[in-house]
Amino acid sequence: MTLYERGMRALQGHDFEGAASVFESVLRQYPEEKELHERVRQYLNICHRQITPKEAAPQTLEERLYAATLAINGGRYDQALVNLRLVRDEDPDNDHALYMLAVAHAQRGEPAEAIAHLERAIALNPENRALAKGDPDLEPLRGDEAFRTALDTPAVPRSDRRRPLRTRTAR
């Protein structure tokens, strides 16, 4: 049995570490075999993906926010949106998640969605207005009139935003 065949047998048997070791030996022992190298590198990639531990899916609200932050920082906006939507569904008044949703949508070139989330984030926490004014992640929205309006609309004082007290009616 050739070295390559041993690697294939290990791969098929789900012995990914063993297969990777054998395939690396093939690369070292047969440096002139370019076509063989291409196939072996593909199999090595499969082995390495299987060997690498899978990241656990974030379970808590805080873990999802952290995962979304990492995804946004890495330019993986679709992944960020998945986590942020879960946070929003669990806690609809989480202004931090709403702000991050605005950022992710802005970066994806979706201004209407971004502005809607930003307006809600500002309504829940007026400090988000100041943050948005200088946030480079929201740069794609700067030319949008609705974005400028959201930033220029004065904050409603917190005491004015309280719900009126309901009184019981006599029976």
Side-chain angles (χ1 to χ4, degrees):
M1 179 185 311
T2 68
L3 196 56
Y4 174 79
E5 289 170 337
R6 281 190 13 226
M8 288 303 297
R9 192 160 287 176
L11 179 64
Q12 291 166 349
H14 299 278
D15 176 10
F16 300 110
E17 289 184 19
S21 175
V22 172
F23 287 137
E24 287 167 359
S25 295
V26 169
L27 292 176
R28 284 191 305 273
Q29 290 183 22
Y30 302 100
E32 68 287 344
E33 299 291 332
K34 301 299 179 197
E35 288 180 23
L36 178 62
H37 279 217
E38 288 178 29
R39 280 193 310 258
V40 167
R41 282 195 178 95
Q42 288 177 341
Y43 294 133
L44 269 171
N45 285 336
I46 292 168
C47 292
H48 291 295
R49 275 197 308 266
Q50 294 298 322
I51 294 168
T52 305
K54 308 279 188 280
E55 289 183 30
Q59 299 299 310
T60 67
L61 189 132
E62 291 78 18
E63 288 173 354
R64 288 185 186 113
L65 282 172
Y66 181 69
T69 300
L70 294 178
I72 286 173
N73 290 342
R76 297 181 314 278
Y77 305 111
D78 292 342
Q79 184 180 353
L81 287 172
V82 168
N83 284 307
L84 291 168
R85 287 175 180 143
L86 289 170
V87 172
R88 181 197 57 202
D89 292 348
E90 186 177 333
D91 181 6
D93 291 336
N94 187 310
D95 68 288
H96 185 67
L98 292 165
Y99 186 92
M100 290 175 63
L101 278 162
V103 167
H105 282 293
Q107 291 297 309
R108 285 174 36 123
E110 301 165 345
E113 293 88 344
I115 292 167
H117 289 299
L118 182 62
E119 288 172 340
R120 178 91 173 108
I122 290 170
L124 290 167
N125 181 357
E127 292 175 13
N128 285 320
R129 176 178 283 107
L131 184 61
K133 285 182 179 181
D135 192 337
D137 288 332
L138 296 175
E139 193 61 37
L141 303 176
R142 302 253 178 250
D144 193 300
E145 183 62 34
F147 176 74
R148 289 193 299 273
T149 301
L151 295 185
D152 293 340
T153 303
V156 176
R158 286 193 181 266
S159 60
D160 293 347
R161 291 189 298 152
R162 289 190 185 144
R163 293 182 184 157
L165 293 175
R166 292 187 178 182
T167 57
R168 290 187 169 190
T169 56
R171 291 190 180 197

